[in-house]
Amino acid sequence: KVFVDYTFQHVQKGDPLFTLYSPELLASEQEYLLASKADRDLGSSSFSEVALGGKNLLEAARRRLELWDLTDEQMRELNETGKPHREITYYSPATGHVLERKIFPNQYVTPDTELYKLADHSEVWIYADIYEPDIPMVEVGQEATLTATALPGQTLRGRVLFIQPHLMSETRTLPVRLEFPNPDLKLKPEMFVNVELHRSLGRQLTVPVDAVLDSGERQRVFVDRGSGAFEPREVKVGERVDDYVTIMSGLRAGEKVVTRANFLIDSESNLRQALAGMAPAGHVGHGATGA
């Protein structure tokens, strides 16, 4: 008999899956019952070797039945009735969905026949791609949060489980595996999600990302000197976090920097330098910089 008979059916741990008839199983049960009777008969023997032999025979028969995955209830029923089961019901070892079903009523099976493939989705793995600059900030056990368009207004919490040792050559990203609890089964296989990793960076000097002009070889900010004057300052930047970037050197806490119109200031500064270079000999070009 087959109780779970279609793919993606959800089963609970302990639900019946199928019944099995096997001459070998029937013989193993009969051997166990004979060994149990022999243990009772020989247990009262005055010869310790005889009593021990009965116990060893019973233990060996019990271990053979354990290999058939009989439940405690089935073993108890076998002991109470003293009659072997002609058919044994097998139950689901876990709660989950049936990914594959390869069993049908009255089918002949062998020990290497795959009958079902079950997947427990109460905990799921999420695979995320980490960009190269962020790789040093990721470590196993790190806390993470997850959002998805399919779960509006909800945030789930998990952790980093595994970091792959090699980058993906096509995307230049590092895959990491995260584990998230999924008791309500809201996260579905193959779903796209957004993952944020959380790490404390301590207290550092930061400026808005828009304040930094990055030419590729160098990074600059414009420091407000007051009275409409601005000073271009070369800086060394560190990690970017949300809309801010850390400043490793080139600025002091409390200095004001331009966060808007900095491209206009940079263009006018470059124009002044160009005009100064084109001025006739003996003349110096003058200009005003404004925001």
Side-chain angles (χ1 to χ4, degrees), residues 270-287:
N270 292 333
L271 180 60
R272 279 185 10 179
Q273 295 178 11
L275 290 176
M278 296 173 60
H283 291 79
V284 180
H286 296 276

Side-chain angles (χ1 to χ4, degrees), residues 201 204-207 236-240 244-248:
L201 300 178
Q204 299 189 45
L205 180 63
T206 64
V207 298
K236 182 179 180 181
V237 300
E239 297 88 3
R240 175 175 173 172
Y244 286 84
V245 62
T246 58
I247 301 297
M248 310 302 294

Side-chain angles (χ1 to χ4, degrees), residues 24-273:
E24 290 86 355
L25 174 57
L26 189 61
S28 295
E29 288 183 300
Q30 291 171 336
E31 290 177 5
Y32 172 78
L33 293 174
L34 291 174
S36 180
K37 182 177 183 304
D39 180 57
R40 291 193 299 269
D41 295 340
L42 300 177
S44 58
S45 174
S46 57
F47 297 98
S48 59
E49 294 83 359
V50 175
L52 182 61
K55 291 185 179 299
N56 290 339
L57 183 62
L58 178 60
E59 184 62 27
R62 180 183 290 111
R63 284 198 296 268
R64 280 196 294 272
L65 278 183
E66 289 175 352
L67 296 177
W68 288 90
D69 291 334
L70 266 65
T71 65
D72 294 338
E73 179 62 29
Q74 290 168 334
M75 289 295 298
R76 186 162 47 250
E77 183 181 350
L78 181 62
N79 288 320
E80 291 175 355
T81 63
K83 297 180 179 179
H85 304 90
R86 179 174 176 82
E87 293 180 352
I88 292 293
T89 301
Y90 283 87
Y91 301 90
S92 175
T95 298
H97 291 88
V98 178
L99 298 186
E100 293 183 11
R101 173 235 177 171
K102 300 179 180 178
I103 183 174
F104 298 90
N106 301 317
Q107 178 182 345
Y108 177 80
V109 297
T110 62
D112 60 348
T113 302
E114 186 178 90
L115 306 180
Y116 290 101
K117 182 179 289 186
L118 302 177
D120 181 6
H121 294 151
S122 60
E123 285 189 342
V124 295
W125 285 352
I126 304 293
Y127 290 92
D129 293 327
I130 305 298
Y131 294 110
E132 287 190 64
D134 298 327
I135 291 176
M137 310 300 295
V138 182
E139 60 184 16
V140 173
Q142 189 170 355
E143 181 184 348
T145 56
L146 177 151
T147 57
T149 54
L151 306 174
Q154 300 186 46
T155 301
L156 305 181
R157 297 188 178 275
R159 63 188 182 91
V160 177
L161 200 64
F162 176 75
I163 301 175
Q164 189 164 302
H166 300 142
L167 269 69
M168 300 295 291
S169 58
E170 300 86 357
T171 59
R172 305 304 304 169
T173 56
L174 182 69
V176 299
R177 187 171 71 225
L178 305 99
E179 184 178 56
F180 281 83
N182 189 35
D184 299 329
L185 305 180
K186 295 179 179 179
L187 295 174
K188 312 296 183 183
E190 306 303 328
M191 180 182 289
F192 281 100
V193 298
N194 297 316
V195 172
E196 290 186 359
L197 301 180
H198 302 276
R199 182 187 183 96
S200 175
L201 300 178
R203 188 175 179 85
Q204 299 189 45
L205 180 63
T206 64
V207 298
V209 173
D210 293 341
V212 180
L213 286 173
D214 192 345
S215 65
E217 296 182 355
R218 61 180 62 182
Q219 294 82 37
R220 288 183 299 172
V221 298
F222 285 91
V223 180
D224 185 358
R225 308 301 294 179
S227 301
F230 299 94
E231 174 194 349
R233 185 87 59 81
E234 188 170 333
V235 295
K236 182 179 180 181
V237 300
E239 297 88 3
R240 175 175 173 172
V241 181
D242 294 330
D243 295 329
Y244 286 84
V245 62
T246 58
I247 301 297
M248 310 302 294
S249 63
L251 277 179
R252 294 187 303 271
E255 290 186 299
K256 295 182 179 180
V257 296
V258 177
T259 59
R260 295 181 181 177
N262 51 0
F263 287 100
L264 295 177
I265 296 174
D266 186 47
S267 299
E268 187 170 348
S269 175
N270 292 333
L271 180 60
R272 279 185 10 179
Q273 295 178 11

